[in-house]
């Protein structure tokens, strides 16, 4: 069903740099493509890729190394040349894993075993957050909007200092959350009065209107309501937006997803799942009552679920999804015309990355297409039943079981056939992996390629490798 196109308001593409940060030249190509596909700004989440200085230098990543100050400035300059606004995202409460993982900062955690949540009672914690924000804002001259995160503040209220605070009559975890966020927002407004402040909304969803009205956040922050599911509940979402608006939080944003929200370890995205998410958001926008407006939507592309989780889909395999999602917003649906527009711009025959026709590299029309094709091809092989369930094949289960291996009681004729097949799979996989790695390091740091291979390929190759080694060991004791 066709909906009205996305109403007035910015369409931001989320750049999640806490995993697989693109090389700068590739980053510029991506930004140019985002602009051509219909994006009007970037929501940039640096985490440890930002070149923090002074006492915060320990926050800098080492593998890969952070972007330089000049590279951060060049990113903004290039985005401006494409008429795109850059909105930095700095976590200030939850998901501070990249900060609180460092031993000198362990004492600022809400709980020792919860690496992501900041203790809201320590003055040093607020000072740390404000110094992070100061360095980011100063390296973004002309910035107008700042996103302070504040989603998924796990285990809040469970720390000893929080329990003491909550012991006072009438105090709640909701108030504890709001108290810290309000302190941060007020400090930002005091330092940079011109800045608009966005925050994730999820910690406020269960709060009633009176709690929100009395929080002190009214007029300070703009909630960004996120839902990445293809079956987003339209009525509930509209009601939630109405609640925020009635409580005085009238500057509202939405957040959808074009990648990185299917499963924590997804390798290749399914475009239609993400298109359906955007279709639901269009229904939300169309159903809002008069007076309730959305300032824009951020199309998130998570690279990790959090700083310490594995890599999600890399950007090249998600570009057809991004194009389809942006056109869905522009057209009101992913019509045949919209699909043709995306396919023509990307030089592809389908908006599903798994259906791309192989093309010579010189004919590629979107940056990273060659890598996308290689990843899809390798992923298909890695997930083939013959390889994924090799240990459960009749030959292995029948003639090379753990019992037989342990006792070296095998049939050499059959086990050598098993060895031959496993070796052939290993050779094919290794050849494909080398080609993928060679292409990946052109766009990403070497450590990203290494991590991707160890996460997606090594677990599949390891059992095959063990079988070949065990076969040789067993046959050695059975054959003269």
């Amino acid at each position: 069903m066709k909906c009205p196109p996305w109403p007035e308001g910015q369409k931001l593409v989320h750049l999640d740099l806490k995993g697989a940060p693109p090389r700068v030249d590739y980053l510029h190509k991506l930004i140019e493509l985002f602009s051509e596909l219909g994006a009007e700004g970037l929501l940039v989440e640096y985490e440890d890729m930002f070149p923090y200085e002074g006492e915060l230098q320990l926050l800098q990543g080492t593998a890969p190394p952070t972007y330089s100050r000049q590279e951060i400035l060049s990113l903004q300059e290039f985005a401006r040349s494409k008429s795109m606004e850059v909105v930095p995202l700095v976590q200030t409460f939850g998901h501070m894993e990249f900060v609180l993982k460092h031993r000198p900062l362990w004492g600022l955690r809400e709980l020792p075993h919860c690496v992501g949540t900041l203790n809201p009672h320590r003055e040093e914690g607020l000072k740390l957050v404000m110094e992070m924000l100061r360095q980011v804002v100063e390296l973004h001259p002309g910035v107008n909007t700042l996103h302070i995160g504040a989603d998924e503040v796990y285990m809040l209220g469970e720390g000893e200092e929080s329990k003491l605070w909550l012991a006072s009559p009438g105090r709640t975890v909701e108030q504890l959350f709001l108290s810290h966020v309000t302190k941060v927002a007020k400090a930002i407004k005091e330092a940079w009065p011109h800045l608009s402040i966005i925050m994730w909304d999820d910690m406020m969803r269960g709060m009633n209107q009176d709690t929100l009205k009395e929080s002190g956040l009214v007029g300070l922050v703009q909630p960004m309501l996120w839902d990445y599911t293809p079956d987003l509940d339209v009525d509930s979402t509209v009601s939630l937006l109405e609640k925020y608006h009635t409580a005085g939080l009238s500057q509202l944003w939405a957040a959808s997803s074009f990648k990185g929200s299917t499963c924590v370890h997804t390798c290749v995205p399914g475009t239609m799942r993400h298109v359906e998410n955007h279709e639901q958001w269009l229904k939300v926008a169309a159903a809002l009552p008069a007076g309730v407006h959305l300032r824009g939507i951020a199309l998130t592309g998570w690279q990790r679920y959090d700083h310490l989780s594995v890599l999600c889909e890399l950007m090249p395999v998600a570009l057809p999804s991004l194009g389809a999602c942006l056109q869905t917003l522009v057209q009101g649906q992913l019509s045949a015309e919209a699909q043709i527009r995306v396919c023509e711009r990307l030089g592809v025959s389908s908006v599903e990355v798994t259906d791309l026709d192989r093309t010579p590299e010189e004919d590629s029309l979107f940056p990273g297409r060659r890598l996308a094709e290689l990843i899809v091809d390798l992923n298909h092989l890695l997930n083939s039943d013959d390889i994924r369930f090799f240990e459960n094949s009749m030959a292995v289960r029948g003639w090379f079981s753990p019992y037989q291996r342990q006792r070296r009681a095998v049939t050499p004729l059959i086990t050598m056939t098993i060895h031959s097949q496993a070796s052939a799979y290993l050779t094919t996989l290794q050849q494909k992996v080398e080609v993928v790695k060679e292409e990946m390091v052109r766009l990403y740091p070497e450590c990203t390629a290494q991590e991707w291979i160890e996460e997606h390929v090594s677990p599949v190759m390891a059992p095959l490798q063990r079988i070949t080694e065990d076969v040789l060991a067993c046959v050695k004791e059975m054959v003269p």
Side-chain angles (χ1 to χ4, degrees):
M1 182 182 72
K2 180 177 173 59
C3 289
W6 187 257
E8 289 185 11
Q10 284 185 302
K11 293 183 285 292
L12 307 176
V13 173
H14 176 224
L15 273 176
D16 182 12
L17 301 175
K18 62 177 171 280
R23 295 188 186 276
V24 174
D25 56 343
Y26 183 50
L27 193 55
H28 286 197
K29 292 177 182 177
L30 288 172
I31 293 171
E32 183 172 15
L33 178 63
F34 296 165
S35 175
E36 293 174 358
L37 290 173
E40 295 145 341
L42 302 171
L43 179 63
V44 185
E45 188 164 359
Y46 294 105
E47 286 219 353
D48 60 351
M49 288 305 295
F50 186 83
Y52 289 106
E53 296 181 329
E55 293 182 359
L56 298 187
Q57 191 168 355
L58 83 166
L59 304 185
Q60 289 191 18
T62 54
T66 61
Y67 292 119
S68 69
R69 296 177 66 83
Q70 187 54 48
E71 287 170 338
I72 299 289
L73 291 170
S74 74
L75 179 156
Q76 297 168 71
E77 183 179 353
F78 190 79
R80 280 194 298 270
S81 74
K82 303 300 176 183
S83 301
M84 298 179 76
E85 180 181 1
V86 175
V87 178
L89 191 162
V90 182
Q91 288 286 4
T92 57
F93 204 174
H95 281 308
M96 292 188 66
E97 293 91 352
F98 85 100
V99 177
L100 300 177
K101 71 178 183 179
H102 295 285
R103 186 178 291 270
L105 302 175
W106 284 5
L108 295 180
R109 298 176 185 174
E110 171 73 342
L111 280 176
H113 64 276
C114 185
V115 184
T117 297
L118 184 72
N119 181 329
H121 307 281
R122 301 282 180 88
E123 189 64 29
E124 312 96 278
L126 183 60
K127 288 181 179 177
L128 169 68
V129 164
M130 291 309 299
E131 178 59 19
M132 291 166 58
L133 293 171
R134 183 192 67 78
Q135 293 195 24
V136 170
V137 170
E138 289 186 359
L139 199 54
H140 288 75
V143 65
N144 294 312
T145 307
L146 182 67
H147 197 309
I148 61 170
D151 58 318
E152 298 178 332
V153 187
Y154 299 129
M155 308 304 291
L156 182 62
E158 297 297 318
E160 291 304 316
E161 290 174 84
S162 288
K163 288 179 179 178
L164 285 173
W165 189 90
L166 291 167
S168 297
R171 287 181 172 177
T172 65
V173 174
E174 291 179 347
Q175 291 171 342
L176 181 56
F177 171 80
L178 293 169
S179 172
H180 176 78
V181 175
T182 302
K183 285 180 187 176
V184 172
K186 285 182 176 178
I188 292 171
K189 283 293 189 180
E190 186 176 332
W192 307 285
H194 70 285
L195 281 183
S196 296
I197 304 171
I198 299 174
M199 64 177 286
W200 298 119
D201 83 298
D202 54 285
M203 295 295 292
M204 301 187 292
R205 290 179 189 175
M207 299 181 189
N208 61 44
Q209 287 183 20
D210 290 339
T211 300
L212 292 170
K213 285 178 182 177
E214 297 164 4
S215 66
L217 286 179
V218 174
L220 282 179
V221 300
Q222 302 173 7
M224 180 176 275
L225 199 161
W226 58 269
D227 192 319
Y228 310 140
T229 59
D231 55 355
L232 178 157
D233 189 317
V234 173
D235 291 339
S236 296
T237 304
V238 170
S239 295
L240 188 54
L241 289 164
E242 286 184 280
K243 180 180 75 172
Y244 292 147
H245 184 269
T246 304
L249 298 167
S250 57
Q251 301 292 309
L252 298 164
W253 293 75
S256 57
S257 170
F258 71 92
K259 83 175 189 76
S261 59
T262 304
C263 176
V264 68
H265 55 74
T266 299
C267 181
V268 176
T271 292
M272 292 315 298
R273 171 190 171 87
H274 297 289
V275 166
E276 288 167 10
N277 173 241
H278 288 79
E279 289 173 341
Q280 293 301 95
W281 272 113
L282 285 170
K283 293 175 186 176
V284 169
L288 288 175
V292 181
H293 302 289
L294 290 168
R295 293 203 60 195
I297 184 170
L299 293 83
T300 64
W302 298 100
Q303 196 53 73
R304 301 186 193 275
Y305 277 26
D306 63 52
H307 181 75
L308 299 173
S309 67
V310 298
L311 291 172
C312 301
E313 310 97 307
L314 297 183
M315 187 64 79
V317 293
L319 291 176
S321 173
L322 175 61
C325 292
L326 280 166
Q327 277 301 303
T328 298
L329 294 178
V330 170
Q331 301 290 332
Q333 65 176 352
L334 188 62
S335 61
E337 176 189 351
Q339 291 192 54
I340 290 171
R341 187 169 299 180
V342 175
C343 290
E344 286 181 348
R345 172 56 193 88
L346 299 181
V348 297
S349 57
S350 169
V351 294
E352 290 289 356
V353 71
T354 51
D355 296 335
L356 295 188
D357 293 331
R358 297 297 294 269
T359 58
E361 187 173 353
E362 58 270 17
D363 293 340
S364 178
L365 292 182
F366 77 80
R369 172 168 178 166
R370 170 68 173 154
L371 179 58
E373 291 176 350
L374 293 170
I375 287 176
V376 168
D377 183 49
L378 177 55
N379 186 63
H380 178 74
L381 182 60
L382 290 169
N383 287 288
S384 65
D385 288 349
D386 287 346
I387 289 181
R388 181 68 69 173
F389 303 113
F390 186 79
E391 287 186 294
N392 289 322
S393 66
M394 185 178 73
V396 175
R397 290 288 300 275
W399 284 272
F400 204 57
S401 70
Y403 178 91
Q404 292 163 318
R405 294 183 214 183
Q406 185 179 5
R407 288 160 179 76
R408 300 290 196 262
V410 302
T411 303
L413 184 63
I414 295 178
T415 51
M416 287 309 295
T417 301
I418 292 171
H419 180 278
S420 176
Q421 186 63 69
S423 297
Y425 287 144
L426 284 169
T427 299
T428 301
L429 284 169
Q430 193 58 52
Q431 290 171 344
K432 289 182 179 293
V433 167
E434 289 302 320
V435 177
V436 167
K437 183 177 181 180
E438 181 181 357
E439 187 65 24
M440 197 175 290
V441 296
R442 294 173 57 187
L443 311 181
Y444 293 99
E446 178 109 13
C447 61
T448 293
Q450 190 61 39
E451 180 182 359
W452 191 92
I453 291 167
E454 289 187 24
E455 290 291 350
H456 292 287
V457 183
S458 297
V460 178
M461 293 183 68
L464 297 173
Q465 188 65 47
R466 283 195 299 271
I467 284 176
T468 60
E469 294 169 357
D470 289 349
V471 165
L472 293 179
C474 290
V475 170
K476 187 176 181 182
E477 297 193 16
M478 298 285 293
V479 178

